[in-house]
Amino acid sequence: MSAKTTALTVLSAALLVPTVLVVPAHAAPSPPADGKGRPAKAPAAPAPPVTMSTVGGSLLGQPGTQVNLLPGAPQLPANLTGRSWIVADAESGEVLAAHNAHWRLPPASTMKMLFADTVLPSLPKDQVHRVTDADMEGVGQGSSLVGVKEDHEYSVHDLWLGVFLRSGNDAVHVLAAMNGGVEKTVKDMQAHAEELQALDTHVVSPDGYDAPEQVSSAYDLTLIARSGLQKQDFREYCGTVSAKFPGLQEVGKPRDYFEIQNTNRLMTGAGGISPYKGIAGVKNGNTTMAGSTFTGAAQQGARKLLVTVMNPDAGGANSVYEETAALFDWGFSAAGKVKPVGELVPPKSEDTSSHGSPAQSHENNSAAGKGAGGGAGTALGVAGGALAVLAGGAFVVNRRWPRGRRSRGEDLV
């Protein structure tokens, strides 16, 4: 790649030029007609469970919005429609506000954060794998794909870019095969979720494709993102705006590459959304059962926040990003002016205290799932192509665990 081409790649990342996104898997169908040619009324949104997990504090187990404003604190954004959301300090773990934080809902491709946090450390990024037909078995119909081809070689690094940028279920299945298969990977992911105390999460597929009983929560997805952001490679991938992905590989000819763009609109500015200042990742998703889901990380000054929004009822491709941006704005303004309503708990291996009751069993609470600008870019040489990275590569979360022992389900005041 010439110096001129590299410079243009850096400039386009810095300006966050809008990009074209893939169509999400399982786009929601239009409502059926009522027999008179008029669209039928959409079914009423399900109510959150009366009883939810209290991991992280008893207030987080209560339905509805939980916030404790001090004098001078800004009000929460109006017209929030997400069925579940949370705003947390990425480093201290303080939950600044939440809404149905432990409501167990389908996660869509935000489940890929758990997949990456689980599998990424076990596969060297320079390892090269030739894809077989068996590797691609089980990729769901209508899945988002990055364009992995059988009988072609890909590095682990290439495949992770396909997972994070294009939410490629084909790349997920190849990496799962390299990890010992989908069944083993699902078990590994479930075990890792339990280690993180993400006890609302039940893994069925590694890619987040709609499946019965596959659920997570805004609280769990935030825990998972916080864990993933401890890993340099995870930060790099989730903070990448665009990259070159390997294409056709013909004998005697140089490998073709094509550009892939991140589907996170708060990073790219696609779809009419303004890029969010300080955004550093992490992962978006959209399926019929889950609606739109998103977990984002952003930094302004020394403050680093995590926001997760699940299934806004407002509809539209941009609502999950608009509500996330509004909650980021509120969080940065409200930091230091609210009493936390809970906390992001440590992993079990680093925890010496009880932080609340777990969720109901996956089977007993399945009904909930049924209703249901960064800084300048940096150009790096990657597999023969350019990689444009936002703040994600340098977004380091120094997790601080809460001090002292908390009683079971104790509120933070």
Side-chain angles (χ1 to χ4, degrees), residues 118 122 176 179-190:
T118 304
S122 65
N179 186 57
V182 168
E183 183 177 355
K184 175 184 180 296
T185 299
V186 166
K187 291 180 179 178
D188 291 346
M189 291 170 64
Q190 190 66 59

Side-chain angles (χ1 to χ4, degrees), residues 36 73 76 90 126 144 184-186 199 231 233 294 318 321 367:
K36 297 182 180 180
L76 282 165
D126 58 354
S144 52
K184 175 184 180 296
T185 299
V186 166
L199 304 181
K231 301 173 176 63
D233 288 349
F294 182 68
N318 288 336
Y321 301 108

Side-chain angles (χ1 to χ4, degrees), residues 171-257:
V172 169
H173 278 256
V174 174
L175 288 165
M178 296 174 69
N179 186 57
V182 168
E183 183 177 355
K184 175 184 180 296
T185 299
V186 166
K187 291 180 179 178
D188 291 346
M189 291 170 64
Q190 190 66 59
H192 187 52
E194 292 171 7
E195 157 63 13
L196 294 178
Q197 303 203 63
L199 304 181
D200 299 323
T201 299
H202 183 217
V203 185
V204 177
S205 66
D207 50 25
Y209 188 84
D210 284 340
E213 310 300 337
Q214 178 151 270
V215 291
S216 190
S217 67
Y219 183 87
D220 280 14
L221 293 174
T222 307
L223 274 186
I224 292 163
R226 192 183 187 212
S227 175
L229 289 167
Q230 307 307 301
K231 301 173 176 63
Q232 181 178 352
D233 288 349
F234 187 104
R235 295 195 301 270
E236 176 192 318
Y237 297 134
C238 79
T240 298
V241 182
S242 62
K244 296 293 184 181
F245 193 80
L248 293 178
Q249 184 177 9
E250 299 182 17
V251 177
K253 295 183 179 180
R255 184 78 177 265
D256 287 336
Y257 288 84

Side-chain angles (χ1 to χ4, degrees), residues 257-280:
Y257 288 84
F258 57 91
E259 186 173 352
I260 57 175
Q261 303 282 350
N262 202 310
T263 57
N264 176 352
R265 295 186 177 191
L266 288 185
M267 291 176 63
T268 64
I273 289 289
S274 296
Y276 193 81
K277 181 181 178 181
I279 193 71

Side-chain angles (χ1 to χ4, degrees), residues 63-90:
T65 300
Q66 309 301 322
V67 66
N68 194 344
L69 302 176
L70 297 174
Q75 295 295 315
L76 282 165
N79 303 319
L80 293 173
T81 67
R83 294 185 182 179
S84 175
W85 53 259
I86 192 169
V87 183
D89 186 292

Side-chain angles (χ1 to χ4, degrees), residues 56 59-60 65-70 73-77 85-99 101 219 222 298 303-308 326-344 400 412:
L59 288 177
L60 299 181
T65 300
Q66 309 301 322
V67 66
N68 194 344
L69 302 176
L70 297 174
Q75 295 295 315
L76 282 165
W85 53 259
I86 192 169
V87 183
D89 186 292
E91 296 200 325
S92 71
E94 293 178 341
V95 177
L96 307 184
H99 179 76
Y219 183 87
T222 307
R303 183 76 59 179
K304 301 171 186 177
L305 296 181
L306 288 164
V307 171
T308 296
L327 287 168
F328 270 132
D329 286 344
W330 176 85
F332 285 119
S333 297
K337 302 174 184 177
V338 296
K339 289 184 179 180
V341 296
E343 64 193 14
L344 302 178
R400 300 193 296 273
L412 298 180

